[in-house]
Amino acid sequence: MGICDGRVVIVTGAGRGLGREHALAFAAAGAKVVVNDLGAGLDGSNTGEHPAEQVVAEIVAEGGEAVVNGADVSDWEQAKSLVQQAIDTFGALDTVVNNAGFLRDKMLVSMSEDEWDNVTRVHLKGHFAVLHHAAAYWRAESKAGRARAARVVNTTSGAGLFGSVGQGNYAAAKAGIALLTIQAAAEMGGYGIQLNAIAPSARTRMTTSAGESMASAMAAPEDGTFDAMHPGNVSPLVVWLGSAECEVTGRVFETEGGKVTVCDGWQRAGTADKGERWKPEELGDVVPRLIAESPEPVPVYGAR
């Protein structure tokens, strides 16, 4: 009996990296897993590969239950079919882990419209599309008197929380995902749906240096020390957030190695209220004082 015994879980982008580890961890915890992966390259290009099949084979070899799904999560109808496949195959849906995404890094001044649109489409719209169709199912179940302990785990990033030089498209999409999580938690709680997000730090295709194979990057340290950057370290939190035991919603967690940190979003800090309209010249003294009274922001990754 695992913490997710009998639950039906969708993991997007589950062919490699973090998603693969999440799928394997859910299966080990007793869940039936829909392993979604488009087989795209790091930049979103079609590689013709089918890594989701390998993940399903691993789960089945260990006695678990899993099926392959190759949907593009940013396509509205394909996202709907992904949710429906879970219901048709396993009779229900309990948890969605939105993880799929890719990179097209450029400085903003050099970034093309397509590079902006494609990254925001897959990350932000991809999260929303799957969430929308899953939530529609859960709402219908709730109204029919069959409310489920529905859970959603979204994937934001430190780049989305604090910014990252050269990743404006990715950072903006991930920032949107963080707030989408908080927004959806406020809207969907009445149907038994709980939503949280993680901002993981781990070694994946996105972070592995050029020329370094994933096989070598994923190898355990020869001296037996704890590998803090292994993506599998992130999955226990994801599995707990996706379980019926979780009673937390609308929060964002940064996770790396053995460390879990709650990250707060925008908070009101220093304030001044004149009680009437300000004159522009008055604010030259007021704004610096308010900034001095407020916490220092976390520096943007890569900023000088």
Side-chain angles (χ1 to χ4, degrees):
M1 296 289 290
I3 192 175
C4 289
D5 192 56
R7 289 178 69 80
V8 179
V9 179
I10 290 172
V11 183
T12 72
R16 305 180 179 92
L18 286 165
R20 173 183 179 276
E21 297 296 328
H22 300 340
L24 295 174
F26 271 107
K32 304 170 185 178
V33 187
V34 179
V35 180
N36 163 264
D37 201 283
L38 190 58
L42 184 56
D43 63 353
S45 59
N46 186 357
T47 65
E49 298 175 329
H50 304 284
E53 295 179 358
Q54 300 170 14
V55 177
V56 168
E58 288 185 57
I59 291 172
V60 172
E62 292 296 323
E65 295 183 64
V67 293
V68 173
N69 178 276
D72 177 351
V73 295
S74 68
D75 180 285
W76 194 252
E77 291 303 317
Q78 290 187 49
K80 183 177 182 180
S81 71
L82 166 60
V83 170
Q84 194 61 48
Q85 181 184 0
I87 298 165
D88 291 344
T89 304
F90 297 121
L93 175 63
D94 299 293
T95 298
V96 168
V97 178
N98 281 314
N99 170 76
F102 62 83
L103 297 175
R104 290 188 183 174
D105 293 351
K106 287 279 184 69
M107 300 295 279
L108 288 169
V109 71
S110 303
M111 187 175 295
S112 70
E113 182 180 10
D114 282 346
E115 287 164 339
W116 176 273
D117 288 348
N118 287 330
V119 169
T120 56
R121 171 181 57 83
V122 172
H123 285 276
L124 185 53
K125 183 183 176 184
H127 271 60
F128 168 63
V130 179
L131 167 62
H132 169 87
H133 294 300
Y137 162 73
W138 289 323
R139 180 179 62 181
E141 288 291 283
S142 178
K143 288 184 174 181
R146 299 186 298 268
R148 307 194 69 83
R151 304 289 184 263
V152 178
V153 184
N154 290 330
T155 307
T156 182
S157 167
L161 303 180
F162 310 119
S164 179
V165 171
Q167 292 188 306
N169 46 7
Y170 176 75
K174 289 301 192 183
I177 288 167
L179 191 54
L180 173 66
T181 302
I182 295 167
Q183 175 77 22
E187 291 187 7
M188 298 178 180
Y191 303 118
I193 307 170
Q194 295 183 1
L195 302 97
N196 295 283
I198 60 162
S201 182
R203 185 171 56 256
T204 68
R205 284 195 303 168
M206 292 186 182
T207 61
T208 302
S209 60
E212 182 181 12
S213 71
M214 279 305 298
S216 62
M218 297 299 290
E222 293 183 1
D223 61 1
T225 57
F226 175 53
D227 181 1
M229 294 304 291
H230 193 286
N233 298 329
V234 176
S235 299
L237 175 61
V238 175
V239 171
W240 184 82
L241 291 171
S243 74
E245 287 192 14
C246 175
E247 292 296 337
V248 176
T249 193
R251 304 307 297 261
V252 177
F253 300 88
E254 201 171 33
T255 175
E256 175 185 340
K259 181 169 64 175
V260 176
T261 304
V262 175
C263 290
D264 280 331
W266 292 101
Q267 299 280 351
R268 293 183 179 89
T271 185
D273 183 359
K274 183 181 177 182
E276 58 182 311
R277 184 179 299 177
W278 292 95
K279 296 178 182 178
E281 55 270 21
E282 293 177 314
L283 292 168
D285 292 328
V286 173
V287 173
R289 175 171 57 81
L290 296 182
I291 291 174
E293 294 172 357
S294 302
E296 285 287 328
V298 176
V300 172
Y301 289 113
R304 296 178 179 177

